[in-house]
Amino acid sequence: MVSEEMYELGSKRSAIRELFEYGKKRAEVVGAENVYDFSLGNPTVPAPDCVNETIRELTEELNSIQLHGYTSAQGDLECRQATADYLNRTYGTHFHADNFYMTMGAAASLSICFKALTTDRDDEFITIAPFFPEYRVFVESAGAKLVVIPPDTSNFQIDFDALEKSLTPHTKGVIINSPNNPSGAVYSAETIAHLAEILRKKSVEFGTEIFILSDEPYREIAYDGVEVPYVTEFYDNTLVCYSYSKSLSLPGERIGYVLVPDEAYESKKIYAAICGAGRALGYVCAPSLFQKVVTRCIGATGDISLYKKNRDILYKGLTDIGYECYKPDGAFYMFVKALEPDADAFCEKAKEEDLLIVSATGFGCPGYVRISYCVDEDMIRRSFAAFERLYKKYK
Amino acid sequence: MVSEEMYELGSKRSAIRELFEYGKKRAEVVGAENVYDFSLGNPTVPAPDCVNETIRELTEELNSIQLHGYTSAQGDLECRQATADYLNRTYGTHFHADNFYMTMGAAASLSICFKALTTDRDDEFITIAPFFPEYRVFVESAGAKLVVIPPDTSNFQIDFDALEKSLTPHTKGVIINSPNNPSGAVYSAETIAHLAEILRKKSVEFGTEIFILSDEPYREIAYDGVEVPYVTEFYDNTLVCYSYSKSLSLPGERIGYVLVPDEAYESKKIYAAICGAGRALGYVCAPSLFQKVVTRCIGATGDISLYKKNRDILYKGLTDIGYECYKPDGAFYMFVKALEPDADAFCEKAKEEDLLIVSATGFGCPGYVRISYCVDEDMIRRSFAAFERLYKKYK
């Protein structure tokens, strides 16, 4: 009577959401100050002031139709132009307004790209573990297959041998996510260049076009001067899926874009297919008010230094205890080696200490856990005693 | 390389949008005051004051995470509760918060329902002409087929003989849209009751569940005390697809819901499948700020009396000239008989008079045109001379 596949998707709560709900209940029993919830990736840094200021200004300046009316399906020209200008100023690129299709955030951007590019049930999209588990949902919903490359846990860049072996004439695209959720790694220019080289070679070998889908919600969240290379500068067939959720701290408002550079193969045709996929999925236009907010606030970010401070405190605290951590260059997650091979079991043991951390098994990286540090600094400091008790259970 | 189907969808501009763009160009030549653009259905009545007032209040009252953070996938509890309370107060229904799944407007609601209900390539959704052409796009994108029942042009209710013959064991649902775009008709209680009776009978005959998908963006826009019956009161297996675009005049902000009543067959399973379909299509949550706006402004509308005034002026003007018009009970469209069998050719002749009106061929109702009267009253008055010249070309 209903689609079993959709029922499954809708009735199985994500493990992360489950953990978060558990934390709320547990707080009622032991007190909120005694639960250390590192489960969610909900930005804790407030939106920059310009967001709410702009919202108030817009309600005074624009009439109702200008402010709340339909925009064109690809988005307000002003918003697309502001986005192009910002990127050109920041990365030395040469985009123009018509390279951009405004969306309802990165999940929408990705879903739209998969739908636009999928032509056959054998089509494959490759991603590199650890990876955001919703990729599988979006790819399969578009009628294609997700292929996962095992993680390179030495530095969380790309295992190129494994990648090269996985590329086939069915490969439609490779999804990358840098800064990465959950590892916190940023792909270096060398990594991107090497990836580009392999994809160019394989495209020629197969006589196909292979796209990079660059999922970039964490682009602005990088530390210690680490640069996040702009992928279109390395590879022509790149579609950028961007979200303002993290940079402007407004994940609930759903605003982002797909960028189709002129250099991409038959870019105008791809752009049209993206417009068509947006239409077919029921996206009419990106939210009007927030397109205008983005236009005026682009380039602003919340106070990212708070995330860096949290990272430093957490990294020092955990490594001092003895945990093996990957020091994140970006995003707001710490990737930590579990103290037993079964990360799920390790997370259950952590739960006994009221430490809510997420097993990375679902991210395609067994043996690791994700600790989200977009949380209160104070909670991080209070949690170390519990992390120490957990450690002593094993050593 | 890209999906030809998506490319087609994205590269063919809709005829309506095309006409609107033509109007803008034509205005540069002959002056905006000499172009009579009745093409689009963009609400011209401003949003009620409470919308912008609430937006400003919310930016002062709530912190950034409360205001702009992720909401749960099904939507804020407060928003769903306010929606249930409003409907119960207004229609004497008995809904609760968990009957509602907040969406990004009616297009999203419909797309999600089709995706949730479609289990087989032979699945069919029936709609009654004249109908909103995007239904075909959404239904086919979900992998099902759209079946169109010819219009009953005597009163734009439902041709029940034709409907009954079209119902098969493959019928998953019947899409209705009342008040109707483009006819302006409102389905009477008698019509809904008769529809319900037939569907109950056929469900038993086939041993299937047949759903009514009630697409209701125009619910509050009805004139002269005409009642828009609440469909769930007539038929258990009803899914309501609602949008605040028209009632609150904020079509660009994308906010609406799917309502799954407890009375629907296996309603909890349907609700879960709807959550799953939302997830699979890349909808993370409905826009957070506007969920909160709806919570506080529910029941308010823009000044709908302006649409009624326009309707009365346009109806009198056109019928005085000699046009045969269906007097609309709701929405903001006038449905008028073309003066030749080919409505497309008629619209081209109208264009020569700078009258931009939409052929209803694409709405499944050949020989008719749609005249959108969510426009300036003054333009309606100025247009009559042109309508008269057009009339004289034929008579």
Side-chain angles (χ1 to χ4, degrees):
Chain A
M1 196 251 323
V2 299
S3 159
E4 284 298 324
E5 211 182 323
M6 294 306 115
Y7 171 68
E8 284 293 313
L9 275 181
S11 53
K12 259 195 243 151
R13 210 177 216 158
S14 88
I16 297 175
R17 182 61 65 172
E18 202 82 69
L19 203 56
F20 172 71
E21 300 292 342
Y22 168 83
K24 286 204 291 189
K25 287 210 179 107
R26 184 71 184 149
E28 286 168 22
V29 181
V30 299
E33 71 284 5
N34 297 313
V35 177
Y36 314 105
D37 183 353
F38 295 96
S39 62
L40 290 189
N42 214 347
T44 40
V45 165
D49 290 341
C50 85
V51 166
N52 283 349
E53 281 163 16
T54 301
I55 290 173
R56 286 189 291 265
E57 278 166 26
L58 288 166
T59 64
E60 306 282 0
E61 283 173 28
L62 299 186
N63 72 37
S64 189
I65 297 171
Q66 291 166 330
L67 187 57
H68 302 303
Y70 290 113
T71 74
S72 73
Q74 65 264 47
D76 270 339
L77 177 61
E78 294 72 19
C79 183
R80 292 182 288 118
Q81 188 60 54
T83 307
D85 292 344
Y86 167 73
L87 292 178
N88 295 342
R89 211 158 60 223
T90 311
Y91 301 104
T93 49
H94 297 88
F95 303 126
H96 52 87
D98 290 345
N99 295 128
F100 296 86
Y101 174 83
M102 300 306 298
T103 67
M104 290 173 174
S109 299
L110 288 162
S111 299
I112 289 168
C113 286
F114 297 138
K115 179 99 177 168
L117 293 178
T118 301
T119 55
D120 192 287
R121 290 170 154 270
D122 291 327
D123 282 354
E124 294 172 348
F125 291 91
I126 291 177
T127 193
I128 293 121
F131 70 100
F132 182 51
E134 294 296 283
Y135 292 161
R136 185 180 302 280
V137 175
F138 304 151
V139 165
E140 291 181 354
S141 176
K145 289 174 191 155
L146 186 75
V147 175
V148 179
I149 306 297
D152 177 353
T153 54
S154 68
N155 59 7
F156 295 103
Q157 301 285 310
I158 300 175
D159 177 344
F160 285 109
D161 286 341
L163 174 70
E164 204 162 339
K165 282 182 197 131
S166 298
L167 290 163
T168 78
H170 296 300
T171 307
K172 265 301 166 71
V174 177
I175 312 159
I176 60 173
N177 172 225
S178 163
N180 187 266
N181 170 15
S183 75
V186 172
Y187 287 170
S188 65
E190 201 189 342
T191 293
I192 306 284
H194 195 173
L195 172 64
E197 191 192 316
I198 290 175
L199 296 185
R200 272 191 292 266
K201 190 181 76 177
K202 287 290 181 178
S203 296
V204 171
E205 185 184 325
F206 300 142
T208 59
E209 302 294 329
I210 304 175
F211 290 86
I212 292 180
L213 289 96
S214 186
D215 176 26
E216 307 196 346
Y218 300 98
R219 166 161 287 281
E220 289 77 10
I221 304 178
Y223 313 117
D224 306 329
V226 165
E227 282 195 26
V228 182
Y230 209 82
V231 184
T232 60
E233 297 289 286
F234 293 77
Y235 189 68
D236 288 348
N237 278 341
T238 299
L239 305 180
V240 178
C241 295
Y242 183 82
S243 167
Y244 291 95
S245 292
K246 272 71 181 187
S247 59
L248 291 178
S249 286
L250 27 76
E253 308 299 3
R254 314 309 305 143
I255 180 89
Y257 57 76
V258 178
L259 158 60
V260 184
D262 288 340
E263 291 73 21
Y265 179 76
E266 290 195 3
S267 66
K268 284 202 167 28
K269 191 161 184 183
I270 296 171
Y271 188 90
I274 279 170
C275 293
R279 188 176 161 193
L281 295 176
Y283 292 104
V284 173
C285 62
S288 176
L289 170 63
F290 282 94
Q291 289 190 48
K292 287 153 185 80
V293 168
V294 161
T295 305
R296 296 197 188 180
C297 297
I298 197 162
T301 63
D303 183 2
I304 288 164
S305 70
L306 294 174
Y307 295 134
K308 178 178 152 35
K309 197 172 169 203
N310 282 356
R311 180 200 66 162
D312 291 341
I313 295 166
L314 184 63
Y315 184 76
K316 181 166 189 317
L318 292 181
T319 51
D320 279 355
I321 294 170
Y323 287 98
E324 200 178 307
C325 306
Y326 178 77
K327 190 171 186 179
D329 290 320
F332 36 55
Y333 308 101
M334 185 86 64
F335 215 51
V336 180
K337 202 161 178 190
L339 297 178
E340 60 179 303
D342 181 348
D344 294 12
F346 177 70
C347 289
E348 281 303 310
K349 279 226 169 63
K351 223 162 138 184
E352 292 168 11
E353 305 297 333
D354 289 314
L355 283 170
L356 308 186
I357 59 181
V358 175
S359 163
T361 310
F363 293 92
C365 194
Y368 284 79
V369 298
R370 185 188 85 169
I371 302 181
S372 199
Y373 56 83
C374 51
V375 296
D376 278 346
E377 180 190 322
D378 193 47
M379 189 190 85
I380 298 177
R381 294 190 191 277
R382 280 185 288 113
S383 73
F384 289 134
F387 273 114
E388 190 143 15
R389 287 194 299 276
L390 178 62
Y391 191 81
K392 284 187 178 149
K393 281 185 179 171
Y394 288 91
K395 305 284 155 155
Chain B
M1 196 252 322
V2 299
S3 158
E4 284 299 323
E5 211 182 323
M6 295 305 117
Y7 172 68
E8 284 293 312
L9 275 181
S11 54
K12 259 194 240 149
R13 209 175 216 160
S14 88
I16 297 173
R17 184 59 68 170
E18 202 82 73
L19 203 57
F20 171 72
E21 300 293 340
Y22 168 85
K24 287 204 291 191
K25 288 209 178 107
R26 184 69 184 150
E28 286 167 23
V29 181
V30 298
E33 70 285 5
N34 297 314
V35 177
Y36 314 106
D37 182 355
F38 295 96
S39 62
L40 289 190
N42 214 347
T44 41
V45 165
D49 291 340
C50 85
V51 166
N52 283 349
E53 282 163 15
T54 301
I55 290 173
R56 286 189 291 265
E57 279 165 24
L58 288 167
T59 62
E60 307 283 359
E61 283 173 29
L62 298 187
N63 73 38
S64 189
I65 296 171
Q66 291 166 331
L67 187 56
H68 302 304
Y70 290 113
T71 74
S72 73
Q74 66 263 47
D76 270 338
L77 176 61
E78 294 72 19
C79 182
R80 293 181 287 119
Q81 188 62 53
T83 307
D85 292 345
Y86 169 73
L87 292 179
N88 295 344
R89 212 158 61 222
T90 311
Y91 301 104
T93 49
H94 297 87
F95 303 126
H96 52 88
D98 289 345
N99 295 129
F100 296 86
Y101 174 84
M102 300 305 300
T103 68
M104 291 175 172
S109 298
L110 289 162
S111 299
I112 288 168
C113 286
F114 298 138
K115 179 100 177 166
L117 293 177
T118 300
T119 55
D120 192 287
R121 290 170 154 271
D122 292 326
D123 282 354
E124 295 172 349
F125 291 92
I126 292 178
T127 194
I128 293 119
F131 70 101
F132 183 50
E134 294 296 282
Y135 291 162
R136 186 180 301 282
V137 176
F138 304 151
V139 166
E140 290 180 356
S141 176
K145 291 174 189 153
L146 187 74
V147 175
V148 179
I149 306 298
D152 176 355
T153 54
S154 69
N155 59 9
F156 294 103
Q157 300 287 309
I158 299 176
D159 178 342
F160 285 109
D161 286 342
L163 174 71
E164 204 162 339
K165 282 182 197 131
S166 298
L167 290 162
T168 78
H170 296 300
T171 307
K172 265 301 167 69
V174 177
I175 312 159
I176 61 172
N177 172 225
S178 162
N180 187 265
N181 170 16
S183 74
V186 172
Y187 287 170
S188 65
E190 201 189 341
T191 294
I192 305 285
H194 194 172
L195 172 64
E197 192 193 315
I198 290 174
L199 296 186
R200 270 191 294 266
K201 189 182 75 179
K202 287 290 182 178
S203 297
V204 171
E205 185 184 325
F206 301 141
T208 59
E209 302 293 329
I210 303 176
F211 290 87
I212 292 180
L213 289 97
S214 187
D215 176 27
E216 308 196 345
Y218 300 99
R219 166 160 286 282
E220 289 78 10
I221 305 178
Y223 313 116
D224 307 328
V226 164
E227 282 196 23
V228 182
Y230 209 82
V231 185
T232 59
E233 297 289 286
F234 294 77
Y235 189 67
D236 289 347
N237 277 341
T238 299
L239 305 180
V240 178
C241 296
Y242 183 81
S243 167
Y244 291 96
S245 291
K246 272 70 181 185
S247 58
L248 291 178
S249 286
L250 27 76
E253 308 298 2
R254 314 309 305 142
I255 180 90
Y257 57 77
V258 179
L259 160 59
V260 184
D262 288 340
E263 292 73 21
Y265 179 76
E266 290 194 0
S267 65
K268 285 204 166 25
K269 190 160 186 185
I270 296 171
Y271 188 89
I274 280 169
C275 294
R279 188 176 162 193
L281 295 175
Y283 293 104
V284 173
C285 63
S288 175
L289 171 62
F290 281 95
Q291 288 190 49
K292 287 153 185 78
V293 168
V294 161
T295 305
R296 296 197 189 180
C297 296
I298 196 161
T301 63
D303 183 2
I304 287 164
S305 71
L306 294 174
Y307 295 134
K308 177 177 153 38
K309 196 173 171 203
N310 282 357
R311 179 200 68 164
D312 291 341
I313 295 165
L314 184 62
Y315 184 76
K316 183 167 188 317
L318 292 181
T319 51
D320 280 355
I321 294 169
Y323 286 98
E324 201 178 306
C325 307
Y326 178 76
K327 189 169 189 180
D329 289 318
F332 37 55
Y333 309 101
M334 185 88 63
F335 215 52
V336 180
K337 203 162 180 188
L339 297 177
E340 60 179 304
D342 181 348
D344 294 12
F346 177 68
C347 288
E348 282 304 310
K349 278 226 168 65
K351 222 161 139 185
E352 292 168 12
E353 305 298 334
D354 290 314
L355 284 168
L356 308 186
I357 58 182
V358 175
S359 163
T361 310
F363 294 91
C365 194
Y368 284 79
V369 297
R370 186 188 84 168
I371 303 182
S372 198
Y373 55 84
C374 50
V375 297
D376 277 346
E377 180 190 323
D378 193 46
M379 189 190 86
I380 297 177
R381 294 188 191 279
R382 280 184 287 113
S383 73
F384 289 133
F387 273 115
E388 190 142 17
R389 288 194 299 275
L390 178 63
Y391 191 81
K392 284 186 177 148
K393 281 185 178 172
Y394 288 92
K395 304 286 155 151

